[in-house]
């Protein structure tokens, strides 16, 4: 049982480690306003790259990313989000997805997208006079206000708006069981490849077809190299956000990479292609002579999608994309900046895509906004990683919140080496010995919550989350409940001051039972009797 003194110390510790959005001091000796390049691949597994135990050992050599790690810093405890749209929203805004409403995968025909009031990495860096460029997968909505060129990017090229398999819905040869009317419907609502400039409307330059879908990354990289060549010779600081389609299912390697991997599988071929394109970009940076003034980071939007195995990446962790387990959010990440980041360095600190916002702002020498783009108060969930990147003191982040698409309170929380899990969805999706990722085991599994207390895991001793130590013999860790409860209380309080935005895409929120509906109707009637008129729900055509 906690004594009053112990409780006081515990709560003091909690208040110390749970403050949000703190930034570090900028080293005066570091180059000001470096060029910043983000390289994001899609669904790539934590264990796919050579430096993470994959590479040749799994039939898919990744020499370029391995070199990047040997010349920079490799992260072992880096987090994305459990799926594509939330992962990209978190990186681009520096805010947990439920704050922006970008909590679930966006499909074609839904419209909407990233709210105009949100700050993005690009719109913040524009405050420091950066030139900004976006290419590849966006997946943050279809509306004009949600386009990259409306969200701080000067220019966008080879942009696609959805997950890769969404384009195959409109391919008759892929879905011969669809009626002609269904095929026509998907062909009508599926936006193709886009380009554009800030201040103008995005232009569709081509549809995604069966002939070009495998070549999207090769075409994108060709244009990225041309833009990089222009920026590199210009002298002004620039920010490039480069987003590969690989390795989202279906993995369709470019024609020049078919059968080129040792494994001779489509997934392995696609990994080899993605690594090749990363190498092309890194070689161009070196060729331009801008390495010492260019910060590059490579990472992934979410954990491996075990549901579609074998057309999926590998993770040694429990769970899959779409779950609050480590397999859902733990992703590879590599940072590179010659002369600033120590070559061959590693980090086991808790960091993630959320932290790019505060880090980039710090590198650019600017502060994060305190109001959104519509003048309302805003909060960021981003911590400056400079202390970690440059070995300049203790890391600012000590914890991580995990969310599935419908969670406002976190489904899991990690603090240091301890992790509390409340949402048990996908419990056995990547568990050793399971025959296959069945429907109930992965992202498609039901959200199922613990009763009374969470499962507690020591992530250092048990990264697969197999041994709940909350109440087992002399090792019981019931004391952690106080810390985790405080962490959840702190984040819930921020929602009161900074209310989350409405959901921006469709999500199943559970059944509405008849009795609950009648209760809502009765409450509405009583409010209207008191003169309170509730707005009608709007259903768009």
């Amino acid at each position: 049982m906690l004594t009053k003194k112990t409780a006081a110390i515990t709560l003091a510790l909690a208040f110390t480690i749970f403050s949000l959005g703190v930034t570090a001091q900028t080293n005066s000796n570091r180059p000001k306003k470096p060029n910043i390049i983000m390289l994001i691949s899609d669904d790539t597994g934590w264990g796919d790259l050579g430096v993470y135990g994959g590479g040749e050992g799994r039939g898919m050599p990744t020499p370029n990313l391995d070199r990047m790690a040997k010349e920079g810093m490799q992260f072992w405890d880096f987090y994305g989000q459990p799926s594509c749209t939330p992962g990209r929203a978190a990186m681009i805004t520096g805010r947990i997805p439920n704050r922006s409403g970008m909590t679930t995968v966006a499909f074609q025909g839904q419209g909407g997208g990233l709210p105009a009031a949100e700050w993005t990495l690009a719109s913040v860096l524009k405050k420091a006079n950066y030139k900004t460029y976006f290419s590849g997968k966006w997946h943050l909505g279809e509306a004009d206000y949600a386009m990259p060129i409306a969200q701080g990017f000067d220019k966008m090229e080879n942009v696609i708006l959805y997950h890769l398999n969404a384009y195959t819905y409109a391919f008759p040869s892929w879905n011969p069981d669809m009626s002609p009317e269904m095929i026509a419907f998907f062909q009508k609502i599926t936006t193709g490849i886009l380009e554009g400039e800030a201040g103008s409307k995005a232009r569709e330059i081509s549809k995604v077809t069966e002939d070009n879908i495998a070549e999207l990354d090769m075409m994108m990289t060709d244009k990225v190299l041309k833009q990089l060549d222009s920026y590199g010779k210009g002298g002004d600081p620039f920010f490039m956000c480069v987003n590969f389609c690989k390795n989202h299912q279906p993995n369709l390697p470019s024609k020049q990479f078919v059968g080129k991997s040792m494994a001779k599988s489509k997934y392995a071929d696609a990994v080899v292609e993605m690594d090749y394109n990363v190498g092309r970009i890194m070689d161009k940076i070196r060729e331009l002579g801008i390495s010492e003034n260019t910060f590059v980071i490579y990472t992934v939007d979410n954990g491996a999608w075990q549901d579609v195995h074998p057309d999926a990446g590998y993770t040694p962790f429990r769970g899959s994309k779409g779950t609050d387990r480590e397999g859902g959010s733990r992703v590879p990440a590599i940072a590179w900046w010659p002369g600033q980041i120590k070559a061959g360095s590693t980090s086991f600190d808790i960091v993630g895509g959320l932290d790019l916002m505060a880090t980039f702002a710090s590198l650019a020498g600017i502060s994060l906004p305190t109001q959104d783009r519509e003048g309302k108060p805003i909060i960021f969930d981003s911590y400056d990683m400079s202390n970690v990147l440059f070995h300049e003191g203790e890391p600012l982040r000590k914890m991580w919140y995990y969310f599935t698409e419908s969670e406002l309170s976190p489904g899991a929380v990690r603090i240091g080496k301890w992790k509390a899990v409340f949402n048990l969805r996908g419990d056995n999706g990547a568990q050793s010995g399971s025959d296959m990722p069945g429907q109930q085991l992965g992202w498609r599994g039901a959200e199922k919550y613990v009763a009374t207390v969470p499962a507690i895991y020591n992530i250092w001793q048990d990264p697969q989350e197999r041994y709940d130590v909350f109440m087992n013999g002399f090792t019981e860790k019931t004391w952690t409940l106080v810390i985790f409860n405080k962490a959840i209380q702190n984040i819930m309080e921020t929602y009161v001051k900074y209310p989350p935005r409405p959901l921006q895409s469709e999500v199943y929120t559970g059944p509405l039972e008849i009795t609950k509906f009648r209760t809502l109707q009765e409450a509405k009637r009583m409010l209207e009797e008191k003169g309170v008129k509730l707005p009608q729900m709007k259903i768009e055509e």
Side-chain angles (χ1 to χ4, degrees), residues 6 13 44 71 75 100 103 139 214 219 274 297 328 369 410 427 467 491 497 521:
T6 305
L13 173 64
T44 308
E71 294 177 354
F75 295 92
S100 62
T103 64
H139 211 180
M219 294 189 298
M274 185 271 291
I297 187 160
D427 242 4
Y467 304 100
I491 196 167
K497 188 174 181 181
Q521 291 294 97

Side-chain angles (χ1 to χ4, degrees), residues 284-519:
K284 173 60 74 172
I285 295 169
R286 298 181 184 104
E287 175 192 318
L288 290 169
I290 59 174
S291 297
E292 293 188 357
N293 195 40
T294 302
F295 172 78
V296 183
I297 187 160
Y298 162 81
T299 190
V300 182
D301 50 357
N302 50 254
W305 193 8
Q306 295 291 284
D307 291 326
V308 295
H309 177 83
D311 195 22
Y314 167 71
T315 179
F317 303 110
R318 190 171 186 173
S320 171
K321 175 181 179 178
T323 75
D324 288 323
R325 295 294 191 179
E326 290 298 285
S329 297
R330 189 91 72 99
V331 296
I334 301 167
W336 182 90
W337 189 0
Q340 298 299 323
I341 295 175
K342 182 180 178 182
S345 56
T346 58
S347 170
F348 293 91
D349 298 304
I350 300 172
V351 287
L354 280 170
D355 298 324
L356 300 179
M357 175 64 84
T359 305
F360 291 0
S362 175
L363 295 178
I366 56 178
S367 299
L368 292 180
T370 58
Q371 295 181 325
D372 70 15
R373 295 171 75 188
E374 294 178 350
K376 297 179 181 178
I378 192 171
I379 188 173
F380 292 90
D381 302 284
S382 187
Y383 290 79
D384 185 357
M385 296 191 296
S386 297
N387 290 355
V388 173
L389 292 168
F390 310 117
H391 299 284
E392 294 177 348
E394 291 297 313
L396 300 181
R397 180 185 287 284
K398 303 293 184 182
M399 63 173 298
W400 192 262
Y401 293 109
Y402 306 70
F403 300 91
T404 58
E405 61 274 0
S406 61
E407 290 175 334
L408 189 60
S409 62
V413 183
R414 179 179 173 184
I415 302 174
K417 64 182 180 181
W418 303 105
K419 181 176 179 181
V421 177
F422 301 91
N423 184 356
L424 305 180
R425 175 200 277 180
D427 242 4
N428 298 313
Q431 193 173 42
S432 178
S434 63
D435 293 330
M436 64 177 292
Q439 180 174 349
Q440 77 282 12
L441 303 180
W443 192 359
R444 295 169 293 172
E447 288 188 313
K448 180 175 60 176
Y449 290 89
V450 296
T452 309
V453 296
I456 301 293
Y457 301 94
N458 183 330
I459 294 297
W460 288 0
Q461 293 179 347
D462 177 26
Q464 286 192 321
E465 303 170 78
R466 297 178 67 183
Y467 304 100
D468 178 4
V469 296
F470 188 78
M471 289 182 183
N472 65 328
F474 75 96
T475 62
E476 59 89 15
K477 301 300 179 185
T478 53
W479 61 267
T480 60
L481 186 60
V482 177
I483 299 294
F484 286 115
N485 284 347
K486 181 58 183 173
I488 293 171
Q489 176 188 339
N490 283 350
I491 196 167
M492 296 305 290
E493 288 176 351
T494 69
Y495 297 140
V496 177
K497 188 174 181 181
Y498 306 96
R501 303 191 194 280
L503 295 179
Q504 299 299 309
S505 54
E506 294 175 5
V507 60
Y508 177 62
T509 56
L512 178 59
E513 298 171 358
I514 294 173
T515 54
K516 290 182 179 179
F517 177 76
R518 290 176 64 87
T519 300

Side-chain angles (χ1 to χ4, degrees), residues 36-38 40 92 133-136 153 239-243:
I36 299 172
I37 300 177
M38 283 175 66
I40 310 297
I92 206 79
Y133 174 88
F134 187 92
S135 63
F153 290 96
F239 168 52
M240 300 183 74
C241 187
V242 179
N243 298 262

